[in-house]
């Protein structure tokens, strides 16, 4: 007989080092769909894999809505061709966004360095004037 392995919400929370509240939130967002036995949620290996993908997606900068779209594509077409095309499209979008953020950060660093230099110059000038006045 084929027995399905299930996990409690606490077990998944400990394994992925997240709160049970986070898991319930993902469930509310339609990303996880555990079975219920009374008030107890029973998560399957499928839910565990999805949770792992949710957390990986977050680390890579994917929104929960984007992750849900990918799950919905997979559920509709488990051949994964359309899902792979969509993932490639999302990756391209993320790369463009990250490159823009990197350029923005470089500009900000230059501006901060320029401001820092001006502040240090002014501080030296103020310090020199204060020393001259005290003498």
């Amino acid at each position: 007989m084929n027995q399905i392995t299930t996990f409690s919400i606490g077990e998944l929370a400990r394994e992925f080092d997240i709160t049970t509240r986070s898991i319930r939130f993902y469930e509310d967002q339609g990303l996880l769909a555990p079975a219920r036995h009374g008030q107890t949620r029973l998560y399957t290996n499928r839910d565990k894999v999805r949770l792992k993908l949710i957390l990986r997606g977050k680390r890579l900068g994917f929104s929960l809505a984007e992750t849900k779209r990918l799950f919905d594509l997979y559920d509709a077409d488990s051949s994964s061709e359309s899902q792979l095309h969509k993932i490639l499209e999302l990756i391209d979008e993320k790369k463009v966004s990250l490159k823009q953020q990197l350029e923005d950060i470089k500009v900000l660093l230059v501006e901060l360095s320029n401001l820092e230099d001006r502040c240090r110059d002014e501080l030296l000038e103020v310090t020199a004037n204060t020393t001259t006045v005290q003498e």
Side-chain angles (χ1 to χ4, degrees):
M1 186 148 126
N2 198 5
Q3 189 173 359
I4 296 174
T5 303
T6 59
F7 308 92
S8 71
I9 194 169
E11 289 171 326
L12 289 180
R14 281 188 297 280
E15 181 169 341
F16 291 102
D17 196 26
I18 59 174
T19 65
T20 57
R21 185 176 179 181
S22 294
I23 295 173
R24 286 191 298 272
F25 176 75
Y26 299 142
E27 184 181 339
D28 291 342
Q29 298 300 306
L31 296 166
L32 300 173
R36 298 245 183 197
H37 186 342
Q39 292 294 318
T40 305
R41 291 171 169 87
L42 298 174
Y43 296 88
T44 62
N45 277 327
R46 178 179 188 260
D47 296 310
K48 184 177 176 180
V49 168
R50 282 183 174 230
L51 183 55
K52 185 176 184 176
L53 291 172
I54 292 165
L55 298 174
R56 181 180 295 156
K58 280 182 60 179
R59 257 193 343 269
L60 294 173
F62 292 102
S63 71
L64 293 180
E66 290 167 329
T67 300
K68 183 171 182 351
R69 281 194 324 214
L70 294 174
F71 287 170
D72 290 346
L73 281 171
Y74 180 78
D75 291 342
D77 176 16
S78 61
S79 72
S80 75
E81 182 180 347
S82 60
Q83 187 181 27
L84 291 170
H85 284 294
K86 187 62 181 176
I87 289 172
L88 289 171
E89 182 184 315
L90 290 172
I91 287 171
D92 286 341
E93 290 172 11
K94 286 296 168 200
K95 286 171 69 176
V96 167
S97 174
L98 287 171
K99 286 177 182 176
Q100 182 59 54
Q101 288 177 353
L102 185 58
E103 287 304 312
D104 293 345
I105 288 170
K106 288 178 181 178
V107 168
L108 284 172
L109 284 171
V110 168
E111 290 177 7
L112 285 171
S113 291
N114 290 339
L115 178 60
E116 180 183 32
D117 290 345
R118 287 194 310 265
C119 286
R120 290 188 188 285
D121 289 345
E122 191 169 325
L123 184 60
L124 284 173
E125 191 175 308
V126 167
T127 305
N129 288 341
T130 305
T131 306
T132 306
V133 170
Q134 289 177 355
E135 292 175 357

